[in-house]
């Protein structure tokens, strides 16, 4: 495996791990917030979303771009890879794309609504339903991020007994 590919794979894994870590951290905060009322919930959510709003699109873009780069580099050197490495890397990338789609279609519009129209003094009557919907889709994207990390870790496992794969995933003897 080339040094460039090895560095790209490590960078991709690091970026996905950072994303997963952020999502797990937010999930833990959200669990704690299940115990608070609507005004406290809103008071926490507004600044939280304002902090994450500029960061998350950049991180998600970097994760996907790094994943695409890794896949491109992997397809140029299939015989140097462990069997299944390409498939697990593609699965990890698919998970990050799916979590990004979920984020853009569900979580970001809710975040925008909270930032722009919710009031700490007078939260909307359906605040708990909005919170629960956001939390459900956040759980989905958190699981997807953790699955992506797992896929990338499996993809990085060395080939057993010096065996490497071909583009079709069959093992070949290596030296």
């Amino acid at each position: 495996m080339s040094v460039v590919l090895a560095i790209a794979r490590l960078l991709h894994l690091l970026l996905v791990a950072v994303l997963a870590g952020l999502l797990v951290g937010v999930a833990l905060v959200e669990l704690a917030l299940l115990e608070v009322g609507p005004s406290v919930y809103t008071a926490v959510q507004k600044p939280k979303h304002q902090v994450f709003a500029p960061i998350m699109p950049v991180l998600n873009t970097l994760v996907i771009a790094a994943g695409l780069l890794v896949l491109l580099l992997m397809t140029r050197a299939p015989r140097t890879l462990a069997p299944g490495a390409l498939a697990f890397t593609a699965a990890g990338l698919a998970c990050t794309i799916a979590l990004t789609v979920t984020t853009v279609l569900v979580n970001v519009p809710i975040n925008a609504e909270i930032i722009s129209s919710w009031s700490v003094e007078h939260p909307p009557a359906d605040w708990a339903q909005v919170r629960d919907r956001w939390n459900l889709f956040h759980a989905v994207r958190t699981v997807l991020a953790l699955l992506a990390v797992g896929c990338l870790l499996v993809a990085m496992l060395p080939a057993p007994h010096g065996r490497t794969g071909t583009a079709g995933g069959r093992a070949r003897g290596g030296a």
Side-chain angles (χ1 to χ4, degrees):
M1 176 181 357
S2 77
V3 173
V4 173
L5 176 55
I7 291 170
R9 290 175 80 186
L10 285 172
L11 178 62
H12 183 221
L13 175 60
L14 176 64
L15 289 169
V16 174
V18 167
L19 177 60
L22 284 172
L23 295 176
V24 167
V26 168
L28 295 173
V29 169
E30 291 300 321
L31 280 174
L33 291 176
L34 291 175
E35 303 299 320
V36 303
S39 291
V40 172
Y41 180 81
T42 303
V44 170
Q45 293 303 313
K46 288 177 87 75
K48 182 186 88 174
H49 294 312
Q50 288 170 334
V51 166
F52 280 102
I55 296 167
M56 296 308 284
V58 172
L59 182 56
N60 282 339
T61 301
L62 288 172
V63 164
I64 291 171
L68 291 170
L69 174 63
V70 167
L71 282 180
L72 175 68
L73 293 171
M74 290 176 89
T75 59
R76 302 179 101 198
R79 292 192 175 152
T80 65
L81 302 172
L86 184 63
F88 277 104
T89 301
L93 178 60
C95 287
T96 59
I97 290 170
L99 81 84
T100 301
V101 169
T102 299
T103 299
V104 169
L105 294 181
V106 179
N107 297 90
V108 168
I110 293 173
N111 297 348
E113 176 188 341
I114 290 170
I115 290 170
S116 68
S117 65
W118 284 27
S119 162
V120 173
E121 295 80 22
H122 304 289
D126 67 341
W127 76 274
Q129 292 84 4
V130 173
R131 175 202 64 199
D132 293 346
R133 183 166 192 259
W134 191 94
N135 283 339
L136 171 66
F137 284 93
H138 182 74
V140 168
R141 65 188 185 162
T142 302
V143 168
L144 287 167
L146 292 170
L147 286 171
V149 170
C151 286
L152 297 179
L153 286 171
V154 170
M156 294 183 84
L157 292 174
H161 306 294
R163 294 169 60 104
T164 55
T166 65
R170 291 180 304 277
R172 294 179 78 107

